[in-house]
Amino acid sequence: MWQLYQFPLCPFSRKVRLLMSEKGIGYELQRENPWDGRDEFFHLNPAGRTPVLADHGKGVVLIDSRAICEYFEETVDKNPMINGSAASRAEIRRLVALFDENFFGDVTAPLLHERMKKRLVYRASPDSRMLREAMKLAHEHLDYIDYLIDNRPWLAGAQMSLADLAAAAQISVVDYLGGIDWSGHEQSKGWYALFKSRPSFRPLLAERMDVIQPPSHYADPNA
Amino acid sequence: MWQLYQFPLCPFSRKVRLLMSEKGIGYELQRENPWDGRDEFFHLNPAGRTPVLADHGKGVVLIDSRAICEYFEETVDKNPMINGSAASRAEIRRLVALFDENFFGDVTAPLLHERMKKRLVYRASPDSRMLREAMKLAHEHLDYIDYLIDNRPWLAGAQMSLADLAAAAQISVVDYLGGIDWSGHEQSKGWYALFKSRPSFRPLLAERMDVIQPPSHYADPNA
């Protein structure tokens, strides 16, 4: 059985969980707070980051969310998520990088720092200027999702792909932390509402961090 | 003909150039400084980052260095760089992420900021504390490369792979900026010397940024 080392608000672990669930691959959760810096975890992953996926019985350890997703895309046929021509696959991977790197750096990372790490680790108050800037950038990213959904059924084209999972994973973390204002983003909201009702997404939306609670609309597929 | 939008010290463009050269794919260079924020470049890539690879005649635009490398791995058989079993491919991709994200974030990005951007864009002096910290982390990354080369002929295993190209691309930029102290890293130095003499690497080592010059050992395969 796969053991997924993760914490509830890690967007990259969420992406892997969505992919595994869509592909019907079972796994158990192992809570790992990277800020604890556990020696055993650094022994497993010298980069010290979640997610790490291990099958200790088989001696397999997979590290880095994109490497993990590519691995399951290559080894499990069900529900392909990096599909189509080489150009289509490049478009899926472009958007995965856009959400993993730009959206994460602009929005998710500052929100996690201000509203999670400062509370749990540093016992400090969030910086309201940083929060405002991150939420402004969230609007720009949602504008881009609105534009994509105006032109395509799913973010990368005609079918749901890893691009959608990567985007939904980031957005769900930011939404949990109260960083998404959906007003004026009807296309993004409609696309995201489809996700909220998927069986792969329900377990993620039901999880809670200690101390930090999400806004009331967070897990409601009709809100 | 492919047009590669890049600037000489962009490590991700260097990785793509090494891959294309190893696979025998021709391209022309288009100088693009992301800090100029050209409208035409943002039109090509909403993320505003190099590298972008475009074949304007065929209407193909590829964005994100990992997506570009996967595209050529899928479409050009010569010199496979993400090769082997699914587990071997996952190990290659783990190391690519380690160098693209951790090495870049710990070492390359601070060096580029302090020694390139501050000089060219902000006209400010580098912060010596930031430089010391980045160079300390460079030693830790070289320790890890030493460890890998103690156990394997190439970083990810028995054959040269995209992991080696990703690592050499980052290191070459940091070495250009005087941020690598090779003393005590014989394994890393020997592995990197092999690269310096490869035909794919020679054109990169011959290029110079305006104003900023590399140390004398930079392009010398015997130094």
Side-chain angles (χ1 to χ4, degrees), chain A residues 45-49 60-64 66-68 70-71 74-75 82 85-87 89-91 93-94 97-98 101-102 144, chain B residues 45-49 60-64 66-68 70-71 74-75 82 85-87 89-91 93-94 97-98 101-102 144:
Chain A
N45 179 13
R49 294 182 179 186
V60 182
V61 178
L62 302 174
I63 289 166
D64 176 64
R66 271 186 260 179
I68 295 170
E70 297 277 354
Y71 177 89
E74 291 176 359
T75 55
I82 310 174
S85 66
R89 292 159 64 85
E91 174 65 357
R93 293 189 179 107
R94 169 182 84 85
L98 185 74
E101 297 175 15
N102 297 62
Y144 189 62
Chain B
N45 178 13
R49 295 182 179 185
V60 181
V61 178
L62 302 175
I63 290 165
D64 176 65
R66 270 184 262 180
I68 295 170
E70 296 277 353
Y71 177 90
E74 292 176 358
T75 55
I82 310 174
S85 67
R89 293 159 64 86
E91 175 65 356
R93 293 189 179 108
R94 169 182 84 86
L98 185 73
E101 297 175 15
N102 296 62
Y144 189 62

Side-chain angles (χ1 to χ4, degrees), chain A:
Chain A
M1 177 64 113
W2 292 107
Q3 308 287 317
L4 181 67
Y5 294 79
Q6 58 93 47
F7 64 96
L9 292 182
C10 169
F12 305 105
S13 304
R14 287 185 168 219
K15 179 179 65 178
V16 168
R17 292 175 69 180
L18 290 172
L19 181 89
M20 292 180 80
S21 178
E22 293 287 343
K23 285 184 166 291
I25 306 162
Y27 61 88
E28 285 172 359
L29 295 177
Q30 297 289 344
R31 174 67 175 262
E32 186 69 45
N33 300 325
W35 58 87
D36 290 343
R38 277 202 316 133
D39 285 347
E40 294 85 350
F41 186 62
F42 272 86
H43 186 72
L44 209 54
N45 179 13
R49 294 182 179 186
T50 53
V52 171
L53 196 67
D55 186 332
H56 296 294
K58 294 190 181 143
V60 182
V61 178
L62 302 174
I63 289 166
D64 176 64
S65 70
R66 271 186 260 179
I68 295 170
C69 293
E70 297 277 354
Y71 177 89
F72 287 121
E73 191 66 15
E74 291 176 359
T75 55
V76 179
D77 290 337
K78 185 183 170 189
N79 280 352
M81 289 284 163
I82 310 174
N83 208 11
S85 66
S88 301
R89 292 159 64 85
E91 174 65 357
I92 292 167
R93 293 189 179 107
R94 169 182 84 85
L95 288 168
V96 170
L98 185 74
F99 291 104
D100 281 4
E101 297 175 15
N102 297 62
F103 190 100
F104 177 75
D106 290 344
V107 186
T108 318
L111 260 292
L112 282 171
H113 186 77
E114 297 299 330
R115 290 217 167 132
M116 183 191 71
K117 259 186 114 173
K118 278 197 175 172
R119 178 133 186 199
L120 299 181
V121 186
Y122 305 122
R123 313 278 167 185
S125 300
D127 179 330
S128 57
R129 201 181 51 80
M130 295 290 283
L131 286 175
R132 268 200 309 277
E133 176 64 15
M135 289 171 76
K136 200 189 94 193
L137 293 172
H139 272 298
E140 294 179 15
H141 282 284
L142 292 180
D143 283 344
Y144 189 62
I145 294 177
D146 291 342
Y147 158 80
L148 291 174
I149 294 297
D150 271 340
N151 291 281
R152 307 163 166 181
W154 295 91
L155 294 186
Q159 286 171 349
M160 189 169 86
S161 76
L162 190 60
D164 298 282
L165 306 186
Q170 296 289 335
I171 287 172
S172 70
V173 170
V174 176
D175 198 34
Y176 188 108
L177 296 169
I180 300 280
D181 170 7
W182 291 101
S183 56
H185 299 289
E186 290 309 312
Q187 298 94 323
S188 297
K189 196 179 170 183
W191 161 85
Y192 187 63
L194 286 178
F195 266 97
K196 281 168 114 174
S197 50
R198 287 185 84 82
S200 63
F201 216 174
R202 301 303 304 161
L204 275 75
L205 294 177
E207 265 178 46
R208 295 289 174 271
M209 287 289 283
D210 331 315
V211 188
I212 305 163
Q213 294 303 317
S216 59
H217 70 258
Y218 168 71
D220 181 353
N222 304 310

Side-chain angles (χ1 to χ4, degrees), chain B:
Chain B
M1 178 64 112
W2 292 106
Q3 308 288 316
L4 181 67
Y5 294 79
Q6 60 92 47
F7 64 97
L9 291 183
C10 169
F12 305 104
S13 304
R14 286 185 169 218
K15 179 179 63 177
V16 167
R17 292 175 69 179
L18 289 171
L19 181 88
M20 292 179 79
S21 178
E22 292 287 344
K23 284 183 166 291
I25 306 162
Y27 60 88
E28 286 172 357
L29 295 177
Q30 298 289 343
R31 174 67 175 262
E32 185 69 45
N33 300 324
W35 59 87
D36 290 342
R38 278 202 315 133
D39 285 346
E40 295 85 350
F41 187 61
F42 272 87
H43 186 73
L44 210 55
N45 178 13
R49 295 182 179 185
T50 52
V52 170
L53 196 66
D55 186 331
H56 296 294
K58 294 191 180 144
V60 181
V61 178
L62 302 175
I63 290 165
D64 176 65
S65 70
R66 270 184 262 180
I68 295 170
C69 293
E70 296 277 353
Y71 177 90
F72 287 121
E73 191 65 15
E74 292 176 358
T75 55
V76 179
D77 289 337
K78 185 182 170 190
N79 280 351
M81 289 285 164
I82 310 174
N83 209 10
S85 67
S88 302
R89 293 159 64 86
E91 175 65 356
I92 292 167
R93 293 189 179 108
R94 169 182 84 86
L95 288 168
V96 170
L98 185 73
F99 291 104
D100 281 5
E101 297 175 15
N102 296 62
F103 190 101
F104 176 75
D106 289 343
V107 185
T108 319
L111 259 292
L112 282 171
H113 186 78
E114 297 299 330
R115 289 217 167 132
M116 182 191 72
K117 260 187 114 174
K118 277 195 174 173
R119 177 134 188 199
L120 299 181
V121 186
Y122 304 121
R123 314 278 168 185
S125 299
D127 178 331
S128 57
R129 200 180 52 81
M130 296 289 285
L131 287 175
R132 267 200 309 277
E133 175 65 15
M135 289 170 76
K136 199 190 93 192
L137 292 172
H139 271 299
E140 293 180 13
H141 283 282
L142 291 180
D143 283 343
Y144 189 62
I145 293 176
D146 291 341
Y147 158 80
L148 290 174
I149 294 298
D150 270 341
N151 290 281
R152 308 164 166 180
W154 296 91
L155 295 187
Q159 285 170 352
M160 190 170 83
S161 75
L162 190 59
D164 299 281
L165 306 186
Q170 295 290 335
I171 287 171
S172 70
V173 170
V174 176
D175 198 34
Y176 188 108
L177 295 168
I180 300 280
D181 171 7
W182 291 102
S183 56
H185 300 289
E186 289 310 312
Q187 298 95 323
S188 298
K189 197 178 170 184
W191 161 84
Y192 186 63
L194 285 179
F195 265 98
K196 281 169 114 175
S197 50
R198 288 185 83 82
S200 62
F201 216 173
R202 300 304 304 160
L204 274 74
L205 294 176
E207 265 178 46
R208 295 289 174 270
M209 286 290 284
D210 331 316
V211 188
I212 305 164
Q213 293 303 317
S216 59
H217 70 259
Y218 168 71
D220 182 353
N222 303 312

